[in-house]
Amino acid sequence: MLIVFIGPPGSGKGTQAKRLLSHLNIPHLSTGELLREAKAKNDSLGRLAAQYMDQGRLVPDPLVLAMVGEKLQDPAYAKGCLFDGFPRTLQQARSLDESLAQRGTPLDLVLELRASEEELTSRMLKRAAAEGRVDDNPTTIAHRMEVYRQQTAPLLDYYRFRGVLTPIDAMNTPDEVFFDIKAAIERRRLS
Ligand code: AP5
Ligand code: MG
């Protein structure tokens, strides 16, 4: 199965994708995590990406697309993938569609995690205290939300039009959200 998680910062994309890993036995591809790893290594991609990530801006499409393209060459991704935080722009979505069409494996499902900005901000400020992610501060969080509204939310119509979008109430507890996600996947399998 090929599943995309779309949702604003803090909506639980990473949390739920990790839970689904063992349930579906397919790998997780988080562009945010890959970019944070590159940043930690301080390689050329990481240094460049940091200039965008630390301000809550999107890393330019060509960099992200090259990184994802390389990752998808790995045979581990042949049987499916959980995309977390990718695609995030229309250009990324179109490019993903093209490469999946070449493989003959279109997307099965796009899960939209929905939650209020107030709840999301409070989750990220809690995480800031626990983990110290550089972009989890009030100014950068507000900018990440704005970037989501401007650049990523338009993808919802793109996927709705294709009939693959399923909204999920992400205000619930992680267990409840996971339950709803599994139910949406089951419905898709049976359809
Ligand atoms: P990325 O790492 O993707 O961050 P994000 O979208 O801002 O989202 P988060 O990872 O903060 O949240 P999440 O939805 O994964 O929620 P989580 O499960 O962690 O991107 C970071 C940056 O990298 C971007 O700003 C950009 O610069 C760059 N980037 C990444 N991808 C890119 C791309 N494709 N193109 C261009 N640039 C890109 O949960 C959040 C917190 O809430 C956790 O502490 C969790 O424990 C808690 N939590 C989760 N679920 C619940 C729940 N149901 N109830 C209560 N608490 C919960
Ligand atoms: Mg995440």
Side-chain angles (χ1 to χ4, degrees):
M1 271 209 140
L2 286 157
I3 300 178
V4 164
F5 282 89
I6 292 192
S11 56
K13 302 182 293 294
T15 302
Q16 297 297 333
K18 276 173 200 140
R19 283 182 172 219
L20 263 190
L21 280 184
S22 49
H23 182 72
L24 294 177
N25 198 25
I26 51 177
H28 176 202
L29 198 162
S30 162
T31 43
E33 278 180 18
L34 290 174
L35 291 166
R36 277 187 290 280
E37 277 166 23
K39 224 183 108 175
K41 275 193 252 159
N42 199 27
D43 60 16
S44 58
L45 170 66
R47 283 193 300 271
L48 193 54
Q51 297 172 19
Y52 296 89
M53 298 169 77
D54 293 355
Q55 294 172 25
R57 293 190 293 149
L58 292 185
V59 174
D61 287 334
L63 290 180
V64 174
L65 289 171
M67 185 180 79
V68 172
E70 192 185 314
K71 202 76 189 164
L72 288 179
Q73 301 285 315
D74 187 329
Y77 292 91
K79 59 179 178 171
C81 180
L82 298 170
F83 292 100
D84 155 8
F86 175 86
R88 250 173 152 102
T89 62
L90 278 170
Q91 193 190 338
Q92 291 179 15
R94 291 194 185 109
S95 167
L96 177 65
D97 273 354
E98 274 164 30
S99 47
L100 294 179
Q102 277 170 15
R103 291 173 23 159
T105 54
L107 279 181
D108 294 291
L109 193 59
V110 176
L111 296 163
E112 178 201 358
L113 300 183
R114 291 184 175 172
S116 71
E117 290 201 3
E118 201 185 354
E119 165 69 15
L120 298 173
T121 303
S122 120
R123 288 182 191 174
M124 286 183 279
L125 291 177
K126 247 186 240 163
R127 181 173 61 189
E131 295 175 21
R133 227 174 94 169
V134 184
D135 54 352
D136 281 342
N137 62 78
T139 312
T140 312
I141 289 172
H143 190 63
R144 285 157 68 198
M145 296 287 187
E146 181 61 20
V147 166
Y148 178 78
R149 282 192 296 269
Q150 300 280 338
Q151 295 183 258
T152 305
L155 297 189
L156 298 172
D157 273 345
Y158 177 86
Y159 287 124
R160 194 175 293 117
F161 183 71
R162 282 167 172 64
V164 289
L165 185 73
T166 298
I168 300 284
D169 184 355
M171 293 289 280
N172 293 326
T173 66
D175 283 347
E176 288 165 334
V177 177
F178 188 46
F179 182 89
D180 290 345
I181 288 174
K182 283 187 295 184
I185 292 171
E186 205 45 40
R187 279 197 303 277
R188 181 71 193 163
R189 273 185 169 150
L190 296 173
S191 69

